[in-house]
């Protein structure tokens, strides 16, 4: 008898036994402690990939462990089934997207079954099934009646390839998150959810999530973007109108050299009515990415400075000013905001330094090419001179309120969630427009509002607006003619509540409150960090909104969160001694959005890759079919050497400095006595001096300050100027500030 493990026979045998005995089927048992483990459910794209295998294996280990420890374990699975890929495939094959989707679900389910995962398949859901989405249509009606869902005309992000609106969170470096096309600005009438109403609660409740990764909480905190500052009224010199701006730096008011308005500001629109050049400028701004190109239009208007007599400040329209944040108007202080400084240099505007570093001494301080953005000591500011920034802020706000030209104000960067999508394969929004002008929610007895079945699905079918016999309807209450809302929900609407449905997936209502009280919150949630400000933030909002609608008492959906890392390996050379290049790579932007890109989009160089401005987090490599034992041993030896000489396994920003000609950066740092040197949570590695470790929640500022300190000390002791191998993203600390 062979001792070789025959997985095909043995695994099939035991999977059959598990299925027959319903080993992984779970029922509510109030006498047992529950444990809810969940992986983010997959999109049925056709076949599972190694990312799925990795995630579901992680969840399976946790689920089996907790089950063996005596917990009543809920470990379900379902399908995030709406979306553009199904629609595009249907257009190609001239089939209904439903057919393509359910075919893929069948394939992927069979693959998952072969893995033998401990999943409760009796709770399986698919978000494209009417028995699922009828409940979210009811949620929307409740949100609508509560004033948490509304429609307005707004400037939106338009993907010209996918031909749909994108949420702000779905725009990455000015491009669509799926298509990669440059996003355009377009005015459309759209449905929104008032997520902004929950800004403060979403921010404050992050402190309760002690089993979430700090990086995710930081990303959400930054995205919500709470800002404490002031609203200031600037009187227009031409006429009686005023421009009200919001600023977080009222202490820099004496450094103001321009006012900038959003292209959507009321004054901008008024000026455009009589000025075709302004109208053309607004249109131009719709296709410009403000992160890369900052443009302004001088209106010829000016405002009076609130504290400097006879000083006039020019008014511009600028593409980088957002209407949704603050009031759609800012005052520019170029010396203390890099964006403002770049703008001022472009349009030859005054740069007035009004804050200096607190420890700078009596030397004259002046900003040149790099803005000084930190707090410090106020200078060149009349009655504010000598005050620290925080004291100056308080004083100027008090004066503004006394003069009745301003007030203290708290703002949030988080904007309301635009949920309208101009596509077919999504959940219909349950709204009708009656011929007398009334906008009404669909009567609940008429739910679900189902998608029509379209034979020979084509490009023209890909929007409900083109399907007249579905669009036309009547009002149940009055019998008057009406037409249906032809937009569908953003697919994140479905994924914002699916974890509730698993508690009892066969109920005729979305869930039972007693089931929610028992199973929720999810004890361990597993998925990618790319959803930090998408799915995870939306789910938190959805939970709080449903709570306020009386569905349950829960405030947070996920108790524990695990964001998986990437499977990494050493790069190596092929048989011709050429460095292998990846077939494709996974990249991430500053907001944590991950995108798969082909190698053809990049040009590899030594220690550098030219291409889109993103960061690499993983790669797919193609190996030789006959990877020899000798090669494997060499690879293992290389890895062992690396583990012995570098701080592998510790949080670090990698190799920090490039090696100067004929020497090693690590040796120079070590001989300069800098091993173990610490600033805040950042410390020079004792094992390899060219590594900076994060040992105590180091901030970016801690790391950058330590880098600057190392450069200064090494230069002083060795005469060598170390150049960084790491890249500073955003505004770096001010080394370019000059003295006179």
């Amino acid at each position: 008898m062979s001792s070789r493990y025959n997985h095909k026979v043995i695994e099939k045998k035991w999977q059959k036994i598990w299925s027959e005995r319903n080993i992984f089927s779970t029922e509510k048992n109030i006498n047992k402690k529950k444990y809810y483990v969940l992986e983010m459910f997959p999109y049925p794209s056709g076949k599972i990939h190694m990312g799925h295998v990795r995630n579901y294996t992680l969840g399976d280990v946790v689920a089996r462990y907790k089950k063996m420890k005596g917990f009543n374990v809920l470990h379900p699975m379902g399908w995030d089934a709406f979306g553009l890929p199904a629609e595009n495939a249907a257009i190609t094959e001239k089939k209904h997207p439903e057919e393509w989707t359910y075919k893929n679900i069948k394939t992927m389910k069979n693959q998952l079954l072969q893995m033998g995962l401990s999943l409760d398949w009796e709770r399986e859901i698919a978000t494209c099934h009417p028995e699922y989405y009828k409940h979210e249509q009811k949620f929307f009606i409740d949100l609508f009646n509560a004033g948490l869902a509304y429609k307005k005309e707004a400037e939106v992000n338009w993907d010209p390839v996918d031909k749909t609106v994108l949420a702000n969170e779905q725009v990455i470096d000015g491009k669509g998150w799926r298509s990669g096309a440059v996003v355009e600005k377009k005015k459309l009438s759209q449905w929104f959810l008032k997520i902004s109403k929950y800004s403060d609660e979403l921010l404050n409740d992050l402190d309760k999530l002690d089993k979430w990764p700090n990086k995710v909480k930081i990303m959400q905190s930054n995205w919500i973007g709470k800002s404490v500052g002031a609203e200031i009224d600037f009187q227009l010199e031409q006429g009686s109108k005023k421009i009200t701006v919001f600023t977080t730096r009222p202490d820099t008011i004496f450094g103001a050299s321009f006012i900038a308005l959003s292209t959507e500001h009321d004054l901008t629109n008024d000026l455009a009515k009589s000025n075709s050049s302004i109208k053309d400028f607004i249109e131009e701004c719709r296709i410009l990415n403000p992160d890369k190109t900052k443009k302004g239009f001088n209106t010829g208007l000016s405002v009076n400075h609130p504290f400097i007599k006879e000083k006039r400040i020019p008014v511009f329209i600028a593409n980088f000013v957002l209407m949704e944040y603050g009031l759609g108007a800012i005052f520019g202080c170029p010396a203390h905001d890099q964006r403002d400084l770049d703008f001022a240099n472009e349009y030859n505007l005054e740069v007035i330094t009004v804050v200096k570093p607190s420890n700078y001494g009596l030397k004259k301080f002046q900003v040149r090419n790099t803005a000084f953005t930190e707090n410090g000591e106020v200078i060149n500011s009349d009655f504010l001179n000598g005050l620290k920034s925080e004291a100056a802020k308080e004083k100027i706000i008090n004066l503004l309120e006394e003069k009745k030209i301003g007030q203290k104000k708290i703002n949030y960067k988080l904007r309301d969630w635009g949920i309208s999508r101009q596509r077919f394969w999504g959940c219909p929004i349950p709204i009708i427009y009656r011929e007398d002008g009334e906008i009404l929610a669909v009567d609940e007895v008429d739910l679900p509002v189902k998608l029509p079945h379209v034979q020979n699905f084509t490009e023209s079918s890909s929007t409900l607006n083109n399907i007249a016999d579905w669009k036309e309807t009547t009002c149940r209450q009055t019998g008057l003619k009406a037409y249906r809302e032809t937009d569908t929900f953003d697919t994140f609407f479905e994924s914002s509540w699916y974890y509730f449905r698993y508690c009892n997936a066969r109920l005729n209502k979305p869930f039972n409150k007693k089931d929610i009280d028992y199973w929720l919150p999810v004890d361990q949630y597993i998925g990618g960090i790319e959803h930090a400000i998408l799915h995870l933030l939306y789910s938190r909002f959805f939970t709080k909104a449903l709570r306020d609608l009386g569905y349950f008492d829960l405030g947070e959906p996920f108790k524990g969160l695990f964001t998986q890392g990437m499977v990494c390996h050493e790069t190596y050379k092929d048989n011709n001694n050429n460095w292998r290049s990846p077939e494709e790579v996974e990249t991430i932007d500053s907001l944590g959005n991950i995108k798969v890109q082909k190698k053809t989009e990049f040009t590899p160089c030594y220690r550098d890759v030219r291409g889109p401005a993103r960061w690499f987090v993983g790669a797919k490599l193609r190996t030789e079919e006959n990877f020899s034992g000798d090669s494997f041993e060499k690879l293992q030896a290389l890895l062992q050497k690396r583990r012995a000489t570098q701080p592998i396994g510790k949080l670090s920003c990698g190799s920090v400095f490039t090696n100067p000609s004929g020497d090693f950066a690590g040796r120079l740092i070590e001989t300069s006595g800098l091993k173990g040197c610490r600033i805040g949570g950042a410390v020079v590695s004792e094992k390899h001096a060219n590594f900076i470790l994060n040992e105590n929640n180091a901030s970016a500022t801690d790391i950058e300050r330590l880098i600057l300190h190392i450069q200064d000390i090494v230069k002083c002791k060795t005469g060598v100027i170390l150049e960084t191998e790491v890249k500073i993203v955003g505004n770096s600390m001010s080394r370019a500030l000059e003295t006179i």
Side-chain angles (χ1 to χ4, degrees), residues 243-245 259-268 271 281 299 301 315-322 328-330:
I243 298 174
T244 304
V245 309
I259 298 289
L261 307 175
S262 163
T263 56
E264 298 176 78
H265 195 278
D266 287 345
L267 180 56
T268 302
L271 293 171
F281 177 76
T299 64
L301 301 176
V315 178
F316 284 77
I317 303 165
N319 70 325
F320 60 84
V321 181
L322 301 175
I330 65 155

Side-chain angles (χ1 to χ4, degrees), residues 249 251-252 333 335-336 352-367 370-381 384-390 392 734 737-739:
R249 294 297 303 272
D251 56 314
T252 66
C333 181
H336 305 290
I352 309 165
T353 304
V354 292
V355 181
K356 71 174 185 177
S358 297
N359 60 354
Y360 198 77
L362 298 176
K363 294 180 182 179
K364 189 175 180 181
F365 178 83
Q366 187 171 346
V367 169
T370 305
F372 178 66
T373 60
E374 299 179 23
N375 289 333
E377 181 183 327
V378 178
I379 58 175
N380 301 323
S381 300
L384 297 180
N385 286 340
L387 294 177
K388 301 295 185 186
S389 291
E390 290 304 318
S734 180
L737 297 177
E738 300 180 22
T739 62

Side-chain angles (χ1 to χ4, degrees), residues 140-175:
F140 177 83
I141 292 171
D142 290 344
L143 291 166
F144 175 70
N145 291 332
L148 291 172
Y150 65 95
K151 192 174 189 181
K152 71 171 183 178
E153 187 176 77
E155 192 170 68
V156 297
N157 305 306
W158 180 259
D159 189 315
V161 173
D162 285 339
K163 297 179 181 177
T164 190
V165 169
L166 301 178
N168 296 307
E169 295 87 345
Q170 295 168 321
V171 179
I172 304 168
D173 297 331
K175 298 179 180 179

Side-chain angles (χ1 to χ4, degrees), residues 263-418:
T263 56
E264 298 176 78
H265 195 278
D266 287 345
L267 180 56
T268 302
N269 292 328
D270 288 343
L271 293 171
K273 292 175 183 177
S274 57
N275 190 324
S276 60
S277 296
I278 293 178
K279 199 172 183 179
D280 292 341
F281 177 76
I282 294 171
E283 289 301 316
E284 183 185 1
C285 289
R286 296 189 192 282
I287 58 174
L288 288 176
N289 180 0
D291 293 330
K292 294 182 177 180
T293 305
K294 292 175 178 61
K295 287 203 76 171
F297 184 97
N298 193 337
T299 64
L301 301 176
S302 59
V303 297
N304 299 318
H305 193 286
F307 297 106
I308 305 176
K309 289 183 178 180
E310 309 302 325
K311 180 167 184 176
R312 305 293 179 260
I313 303 173
V315 178
F316 284 77
I317 303 165
N319 70 325
F320 60 84
V321 181
L322 301 175
M323 192 65 213
E324 295 87 350
Y325 180 70
L327 298 163
I330 65 155
F331 79 76
C333 181
H336 305 290
D337 185 290
Q338 191 63 45
R339 175 201 60 188
D340 294 351
L341 181 58
D342 295 340
F343 188 83
N345 288 337
E346 179 69 25
Y347 294 96
N348 297 314
L349 300 171
E350 194 175 16
V351 179
I352 309 165
T353 304
V354 292
V355 181
K356 71 174 185 177
S358 297
N359 60 354
Y360 198 77
L362 298 176
K363 294 180 182 179
K364 189 175 180 181
F365 178 83
Q366 187 171 346
V367 169
R368 297 294 188 188
N369 300 314
T370 305
F372 178 66
T373 60
E374 299 179 23
N375 289 333
E377 181 183 327
V378 178
I379 58 175
N380 301 323
S381 300
D382 197 8
F383 53 82
L384 297 180
N385 286 340
L387 294 177
K388 301 295 185 186
S389 291
E390 290 304 318
K393 290 175 186 178
E394 186 176 345
K395 184 170 183 176
I396 208 72
I397 289 172
N398 289 336
L399 283 171
L400 289 168
E401 291 177 342
E402 285 178 19
K403 295 178 70 170
K404 296 183 179 180
I405 57 171
Q407 61 181 332
K408 187 175 181 178
K409 189 73 174 179
I410 296 174
N411 266 319
Y412 295 91
K413 188 172 70 173
L414 182 65
R415 286 166 273 171
D416 284 342
W417 175 13

Side-chain angles (χ1 to χ4, degrees), residues 44-186:
S45 55
K47 293 181 180 180
I48 64 170
H49 53 68
M50 286 306 299
H52 295 128
V53 174
R54 174 189 58 201
N55 267 19
Y56 304 149
T57 300
L58 290 170
D60 194 55
V61 169
V62 175
R64 289 175 182 272
Y65 172 78
K66 289 295 182 178
K67 192 175 184 70
M68 289 189 288
K69 294 288 286 185
F71 286 84
N72 189 24
V73 176
L74 176 60
H75 187 204
M77 179 54 69
W79 310 96
D80 190 10
F82 278 134
L84 280 171
E87 199 166 307
N88 293 335
I91 292 171
T92 301
E93 299 180 19
K94 295 185 178 180
K95 297 178 179 177
H96 196 281
E98 180 180 32
E99 183 178 346
W100 184 87
T101 300
Y102 279 106
K103 178 183 176 183
N104 289 345
I105 287 175
K106 184 179 179 180
T107 299
M108 293 175 70
K109 183 176 179 178
N110 285 334
Q111 290 179 302
L112 292 178
L113 287 169
Q114 292 174 37
M115 290 178 63
L117 302 170
S118 59
L119 294 168
D120 185 354
W121 285 105
E122 293 183 357
R123 298 173 185 264
E124 181 184 9
I125 61 170
T127 60
C128 64
H129 197 285
E131 287 302 307
Y132 180 89
Y133 67 69
K134 73 177 182 182
H135 301 301
E136 71 186 53
Q137 289 177 337
K138 172 63 166 59
F139 294 153
F140 177 83
I141 292 171
D142 290 344
L143 291 166
F144 175 70
N145 291 332
L148 291 172
Y150 65 95
K151 192 174 189 181
K152 71 171 183 178
E153 187 176 77
E155 192 170 68
V156 297
N157 305 306
W158 180 259
D159 189 315
V161 173
D162 285 339
K163 297 179 181 177
T164 190
V165 169
L166 301 178
N168 296 307
E169 295 87 345
Q170 295 168 321
V171 179
I172 304 168
D173 297 331
K175 298 179 180 179
W177 74 310
R178 288 192 183 277
S179 71
V182 176
V183 170
E184 301 171 0
K185 293 294 184 180
K186 194 172 184 178

Side-chain angles (χ1 to χ4, degrees), residues 640-660:
Q640 186 175 353
K641 180 181 178 182
R642 191 178 181 192
R643 285 191 291 268
T645 59
Q646 298 181 6
I648 305 299
K650 294 188 176 182
L651 297 174
S652 79
C653 58
S655 180
V656 178
F657 301 99
T658 60
N659 291 326

Side-chain angles (χ1 to χ4, degrees), residues 539-690:
S539 296
R540 294 183 63 223
F541 156 69
F542 221 88
T543 300
K544 297 176 188 300
L546 292 184
R547 173 205 62 196
D548 291 348
L549 292 172
Y551 280 97
F552 43 67
D553 303 318
L554 188 70
E556 288 289 339
F558 311 121
K559 184 178 180 180
L561 173 67
F562 178 75
T563 52
Q564 82 283 349
M566 307 301 299
V567 179
C568 300
H569 214 293
E570 295 287 328
T571 56
Y572 52 91
K573 296 181 179 180
D574 61 19
N575 292 334
N576 297 318
N577 207 38
N578 295 315
W579 290 104
R580 284 205 174 276
S581 64
E583 295 295 305
E584 61 185 34
V585 293
E586 279 189 296
T587 61
I588 191 169
D589 67 4
S590 58
L591 299 176
N593 300 304
I594 287 182
K595 183 179 181 181
V596 176
Q597 297 179 270
K598 298 296 182 183
K599 66 178 182 180
T600 52
E601 298 180 54
F602 302 91
T603 302
C605 309
Y606 177 69
R607 294 183 178 249
D608 189 30
V609 177
R610 297 168 188 167
R614 298 170 66 88
W615 299 271
F616 297 102
V617 295
K620 179 181 178 182
L621 300 169
R622 186 178 299 277
T623 63
E624 299 286 343
E625 288 188 11
N626 299 312
F627 190 48
S628 69
D630 182 56
S631 298
F632 182 78
E633 289 174 5
K634 288 180 179 178
L635 187 59
Q636 290 299 307
L638 179 62
L639 290 171
Q640 186 175 353
K641 180 181 178 182
R642 191 178 181 192
R643 285 191 291 268
T645 59
Q646 298 181 6
I648 305 299
K650 294 188 176 182
L651 297 174
S652 79
C653 58
S655 180
V656 178
F657 301 99
T658 60
N659 291 326
S661 179
D663 210 334
F664 297 96
R667 188 196 71 81
L668 292 169
I669 298 167
E670 184 175 352
T671 57
S672 298
L674 290 169
K675 271 191 173 183
C677 181
R678 179 185 300 272
I679 293 180
V683 60
V684 178
S685 170
E686 295 278 4
K687 196 170 191 177
H688 193 310
N690 200 17

